Amino acid sequence: MKFVLVTGTTLSQAQGKEHGKVSPKYKEAVAVCELAEEDMERLGVKPGDPVRVTSPYGSVVVKAVKARDPTPGIAFIPTGIWANAVTAPETSAAGIPSYKCIEVEIEPAPGEKVPDLEELLKQSVGVKG
Amino acid sequence: MGELLIKNGIVYDPINGVEGEQMDIAIKDGVVVEEVSPQAEVIDASGMLVFPGGVDIHSHIAGSKVNAGRLLRPEDHYRDPEPKTEYTRSGVGYTVPSIFTIGYRYARMGYTTVIEPATPSLKTRHTHEELDDIPILDKACFPLFGNDLMLLEYIRDGKLEEATGYVAWMLEAVKGYAIKIVNPGGLEAWSWGKNLEGIDDEVPGLGITPREILRTLCTISKMLKLPHPIHVHPNNLGKPGNYETTLKTMDCVADLYEGGKPIIHLTHVQFTGYGGHSWLNLSSKAPEIAKYVNAHPHVSVDLGQVIFGEATTMTADGPFQFILHQMTGNKWVNADVEVETGAGVVPYVYKRSNYVNAVQWAIGLELALEVKDPWRVFLTTDHPNAGPFMEYPRVISWLMSRKAREKVVSKLPRSARRRMNIETMDREYTWTEIAIITRAGTAKSLGLKSKGHLGVGADGDVAVYPINPREVDPAKDYKLVRRAFRNAQWVVKEGEVVVSQGRVVSSLKGKTFWVKPSISSDALEAARQEIKGKFKRYYTVEFENYIVPESFLARPCMLKAEGS
Amino acid sequence: MPVIQGAVCAFCGCVCDDLEVLVENNEIKDVKYACAIGREKVLNCVKERDPRVLIRENGKFREASLEEALDRAAEILANSKYPLLYGWSNTSCEAIKIGVALAEELGGVIDNTACVCHGPGLEAVHEVGVVEGTLGQARHRADLIVYWGCNPTQAHMRHMMRYSAMSQGIFRSGRKERKVVVVDVRKTTTARLADVFLQVKPGKDYELFQALRMAIRDEEIEAEEVAGIPVEQIEELADMMVSCQVGFLFFGLGLTQSSAKNENIAAAISLIRDLNFKTKWLMLPMRGHHNVTGANKVTLWETGYPFAVDFSHGYPRYNPGETSSTDLLARGEVDAALIVASDPVANMPAQIAKHFAKIPVIDIDPLMTATGLLSDVRIPAAFTGIEAEGTLYRMDGVPLVSKKLVEPPEGILPDKILLQRLLEKVRKLRRR
Ligand SMILES: [Zn+2]
C-alpha cells in the first residue's frame, strides 16, 4: 500500500537518544512506524507486527504502532537511522535532504526481524573492515 | 615586553601640542616613555607622518545586529575574500566583514581602538564574544538604554534614584562603557508596531516622552561620572525635516550643562540633518546644526559621512529600518529584544546620480567644515550604515582638499547641488585637525586618557604613514593622502609592531574597556536587590545568568568612572 | 545537599536556564523544573556514557590511550586533502571556534547540523531577510501565536509555558488572553491545544503561505481550496492574523525538511513581512539542538557564513548544495571526517551516510552512536552543559553559559580541550 512518509522528533525518541543510540530504549522508540488504525486494518497488521517500508532509496523493517496523531495515508517514523534507511538523499541545491513527505510502499512483513542498530548499519550504510 | 624606538618621524600629537615636529617616540613595556636603551628595536620613520593610533568612536563591528547583517548578505562577501597568511586568519569583507578581517583592516589603516556603539544588554554577552575575537584592536561597547521597560517605568514614576541604580547595575552587569540612546521611547512603541514622531510624543502605555528619557539619562550619566556622555541617535532619524528634532534633542539637556566636557554626543548627524518636507525636496541643514554646535559647548557630534557605493544599514532603530525597507523594497531584518530594544538591517547603495544620496553626501562634509571646534566633531561613516570604515581615507582627503571635493561635486545632479552649501566652503583641514577628529578628539570624548596621544605614559599605539607632511600639499595631492592613510607603513600596538610595510604581521589580542560607574556600594546593592526581585517578571532568563562576569572577557580592562 | 540554581538545560533550543539540580557526591540526584526530556538527559545521560577510547585496527576496534587516539586523529586529518568537520550543535561556542580554526588550517569544510535542520531557513534569510524577536516578545505581547510544522508538546516541551501560548507576560497573561493556531500535516498533540487547526496537505505549505499572502492583501483566491484547506478557512485565518495586536509565528522542521524547503521559509518570511504593513508580527524557528544557533552564529562571525563553509581556497567559501556536508558526502568528495557531538550516520539519509563507511572517521562524543560504531578513532568527551561549562545561544539568539554540574570521570575531557590538543598536533604535523 502507498503512503506518504513523514519523519520527525518525538518525546520518546528524544529521551531514548539521551540513553545512547545503542540502547534498547532507543530502538524501541524509533524503530517503529506509526499508522492510522484504519490503515493498519487495510494492511492486515496489528500493533507490534513487523512491516516493511520501501522507498526509491532503500527498505527497512520496523514495528507497526498505533499513531498518536492518526491521519489516514500518512505514515510516521521517528527521526533516526531506521527512518533514514528510506529518506531521500537529494538536497535540491539547498543542502538539506528530504526527510518529510516521501512516497513509500508499506507491506506486512510477517516473521521478519526488526534489525538492531549494528545490523541496520551493515544493511543500509556499510561497515568498516 | 621589549623596547621600541620610532625615529625621526614627523609627529602630530595635538593633545600634547606637537604639530609636525621631527622627533622620536620611545616605547617600553607597551607604554610611551622618555627614552629606551640602545638595545631597543628601531623603526626609521624619517620623512613619514606619525600619529597616535586611531580611535574610532562609532563603528558597528560586533554583536547580534552586525551578525544579522552578515547573515542577510552573503553576496556582500563573495567578491572580497581575505586569504589566510602566516600571521592572520582568513575571512571575508566587504560592508559587513567577518570578525578577524575587521581587526586587520582597521589595523592597516593605523587604527588601534574601535567602539561598538550599540549593544542590546540582553545580548551583550554575544557582543563580547565577537569583540574578543577581533585581533589587535582595543574596544568597548555602549549598551542601549533609551527603551528599557524597567527604566522607563522608573522615569514614569519619578524614581530617579532607582533609575540611576538601574543604569549603574546594568553597565557593570554587561560590562558596558557608556549610555547609548536610540530613538528614545520609539522602540518600546515599535514593540507594538508603532513609532514616535517627536521628542514630546508620549510613549504608548507609559505616558512619558523622549525629552524626559533624554534628560533623565543625561542626569544619570553625570551623576555616575561616566567618562563618555550620553551617545544619542535621536527620534526621526532618516526622515526629511528631521533637523528640528535633532536641534530639540541637543537643546533639551542644555540647562544641565555645568561647563567642561560636552554632556551629549549626537551621533551620525548626517542622518539627522535633513531639511525639506519629503525626499523630493530634501535639503542640507548642516549649517543650522553646526551653528547650534558652535554656540553650545555641551554638544559634540560625529559625521556618519556617506560614501558612494555599497552599504549595509543597521541600527537599533527598528521602525526606521522598516521605513527604509518600505522605501527601497530591499530585504529586511528586524530583531526585537524583549523589554529593552530592537534592531534592523537593510542593504543600501548610495548612488552619486541619486538626488537624495548626493545631498546626504554633502551634509556630512558640510558639518565637518562648519563646526569650528575640531575637538567636538569626529570622523565616522557610522560603519557600515553610510559606508564601510575602509573608506575613511577618502573622507580625510575630502576634508583636506577642496579640489578633491569639487571633483565629486562636479559629478552630482544639478538639482542636488542647489540644495547643498558645500561649494561655498573653502576650509581645508590641517594634519593636526585630522589627527584630532580621528584620534585625539575621540579619545578625549571617550575619556580614554592613555589613548589618542603620545605623551609619556600613553599606550604605545602608533601609526606611521608613508607620506611626508612637509613635502606633500594635501590640498593638491589628495590622492597621495588617500593612499597613505589606506595602508600605514608601520602600526604599533602596545609597543609591538602589528603592521609592517602595510602588512599585518601579528594578531595580538586587544583589551576591552568597561566602566565601573561612580555609585556608593550601598546604592548599587539596593539596585541589585530591587532588580533581582523584579527580574523574572520582565525577562525570560534568570537574573544570575544575565550577568556577564569579567572572567567571560578575554582581556577586560576596568575603568573607574571619575568624570571629566 | 548542594543545590545548583539557575542551571542551564543543554537539550533543546529553548535552553531553559531556571533548572535546580541536586548534586551529591558528584552525582546528580534530582532535577527540578526541567521538561521530561531535559530531566532525562540531566539525570541519566552520564550513566550511558561509553568511556572507551577506541582505534580501529585491521577492521576491529581496540582500546587505546587518549594520547594515541589524538595522534592517530591528527595524522588522519593532516594526511587528508579535503576533510569534513561536522556536528557542533551540541557543544560549546568555545569548541566551535577551535573547529573553525582547524578547518581553516586543514583547508577543509566545516559544517553544522543546520545543514539537515534549519539551514533552509538561513538560506531564506539571505534571500528575503527575516522579522524576528526574542522569546520575551511573544511572552509579554503576543495575542496570536501560530505554530507551523512544529510540535512543541513533543520536541520543545516547556516552550508554550515559558515563552509562548501559556506563558505569563507583562501585557498578556496565560492561554486565555491569546489565540493559538496550529498548521501541520498531522493532528499533533500541539494541534489539540489550538483554537484553530489547519491540516495542510503534505508538501503543500508553500501554496498555503502564498494563499494567505493573497488573502491578507484582500485578493481573490480563485479556487475552492488550497493545500487541502477550504478558501473560507484561509480567509478567516488571514483576518485573525491582520486583526491581532502582536502576532508570533513559530515554525519547525515540517517546513524546512519538506519539498519546497528554503522556498517554504522564504514564503513564511514574506507573509510575516507583509503582515507588518498591517500590524505587528514576529517569527522564530524552533531550533532543535541546544547550541545549533551558536554553531551558526560563531561560524557566521568568524567566516562570514553560517554553515557549509569551505576553506579549500585558503579563505571561506559558501554555497549550500555545493559546499554542504550532505552534498559533499553524496558526491563522495571528502576524504576524511571529524565528527563532534553529532551522529550524522544515523541522522542523514543512508544513501548519504554511506560515504562515511569509505573514509576515515574520527568521532568525538560522550555516547556511543552509529557514527561511533563506524569510526576509525573514537574519543569519548565530557557532556557539555553537565560536565563542562560553555557558551551557547538560545533559539532566539540570547546567549547563555551552561554550568558544570558534576566533574567528568578521570581522564574524560571537554570537547574544547580535546579539539585544542588536536589542533596543536595537526599544526605540528603540517609544519614538518
Ligand atoms: Zn551607528
Side-chain angles (χ1 to χ4, degrees), chain B residues 130-240:
Chain B
E130 287 199 38
L131 290 176
D132 276 350
D133 249 2
I134 298 179
I136 301 169
L137 305 179
D138 286 343
K139 51 259 156 174
C141 60
F142 299 163
L144 291 150
F145 280 101
N147 293 277
D148 290 34
L149 189 56
M150 258 195 231
L151 181 69
L152 299 193
E153 287 174 356
Y154 287 137
I155 297 174
R156 175 195 65 196
D157 301 339
K159 294 180 168 171
L160 180 62
E161 204 176 303
E162 283 83 350
T164 307
Y166 176 87
V167 173
W169 175 83
M170 186 64 89
L171 275 173
E172 193 168 337
V174 304
K175 306 296 174 276
Y177 192 90
I179 296 172
K180 177 68 181 296
I181 304 168
V182 169
N183 188 356
L187 305 186
E188 170 56 26
W190 181 241
S191 277
W192 300 111
K194 301 188 171 79
N195 197 4
L196 304 182
E197 288 184 345
I199 77 161
D200 294 308
D201 275 17
E202 281 192 3
V203 184
L206 285 153
I208 55 167
T209 63
R211 180 187 297 274
E212 292 168 78
I213 299 170
L214 288 159
R215 285 181 62 82
T216 308
L217 282 168
C218 185
T219 305
I220 290 172
S221 181
K222 282 171 61 193
M223 291 200 318
L224 296 176
K225 298 195 164 80
L226 303 183
H228 181 61
I230 55 170
H231 193 107
V232 180
H233 156 152
N235 308 100
N236 283 334
L237 177 134
K239 290 189 204 159

Side-chain angles (χ1 to χ4, degrees), chain B residues 427-447:
Chain B
R427 180 172 170 194
E428 287 173 332
Y429 267 60
T430 63
W431 297 105
T432 294
E433 286 173 326
I434 294 298
I436 295 170
I437 67 167
T438 57
R439 47 265 283 164
T442 44
K444 262 206 151 155
S445 173
L446 289 164

Side-chain angles (χ1 to χ4, degrees), chain B residues 58-60 65 116-118 180 182 231 233 267-268 271 302 314-316 381-385:
Chain B
H58 189 116
S59 173
H60 299 276
K65 83 184 164 317
E116 162 55 57
K180 177 68 181 296
V182 169
H231 193 107
H233 156 152
T267 188
H268 39 68
F271 287 114
D302 68 83
M314 54 171 70
T315 69
T381 58
D382 188 16
H383 163 85
N385 280 286

Side-chain angles (χ1 to χ4, degrees), chain A residues 4 6-12 14-23 25-26 34 56-58 68-71 74 76 79-82 84-101 117-118 121 124-129, chain C residues 11 36-37 40-41 45 48 56 59 115-117 120 123 154-155 157 185-189 192 199 202-203 253-254 256-258 261-262 289 320-321 324 326-327 343 345-354 356-357 359 361 367-370 373-374 376:
Chain A
V4 173
V6 175
T7 72
T9 45
T10 64
L11 172 56
S12 47
Q15 283 176 321
K17 193 173 73 180
E18 300 308 334
H19 282 271
K21 298 272 176 83
V22 287
S23 70
K25 194 163 176 180
Y26 180 65
E34 294 188 13
Y57 317 103
R68 272 161 312 168
D69 319 311
T71 305
I74 293 187
F76 179 85
T79 299
I81 194 165
W82 286 269
N84 282 324
V86 296
T87 52
E90 276 104 40
T91 77
S92 33
I96 192 165
S98 297
Y99 289 101
K100 296 188 194 279
C101 309
L117 179 62
E118 292 192 49
L121 258 181
S124 63
V125 177
V127 285
K128 288 210 167 117
Chain C
F11 174 68
I37 308 171
E40 188 77 21
K41 171 155 186 176
C45 70
E48 308 290 337
R56 190 178 296 279
C115 184
V116 297
C117 58
E123 291 163 42
Q154 293 284 314
M157 300 184 70
V185 294
R186 300 178 301 141
K187 185 157 189 185
T188 59
T189 38
R192 286 177 213 150
Q199 189 158 15
L253 299 181
T256 61
Q257 292 183 340
S258 65
K261 297 171 181 173
N262 46 325
H289 296 300
S324 29
T326 43
D327 295 279
D343 187 12
V345 171
N347 294 336
M348 288 182 181
Q351 292 295 326
I352 290 173
K354 265 164 133 171
F356 286 117
I359 58 173
V361 174
L367 299 171
M368 181 54 93
T369 63
L373 289 174
L374 211 65
D376 296 85

Side-chain angles (χ1 to χ4, degrees), chain C residues 105-135:
Chain C
E105 171 74 35
L106 292 164
V109 171
I110 187 156
D111 197 6
N112 51 62
T113 61
C115 184
V116 297
C117 58
H118 279 282
L122 301 168
E123 291 163 42
V125 176
H126 305 332
E127 249 177 84
V128 290
V130 70
V131 190
E132 291 187 343
T134 62
L135 290 163

Side-chain angles (χ1 to χ4, degrees), chain B residues 90 129 133 331 338 538, chain C residues 104 126 132 134 140 302 393:
Chain B
S90 68
E129 271 215 283
D133 249 2
K331 52 190 181 180
E338 64 205 51
Y538 292 77
Chain C
E104 185 190 64
H126 305 332
E132 291 187 343
T134 62
H140 292 315
E302 291 203 334
Y393 287 76

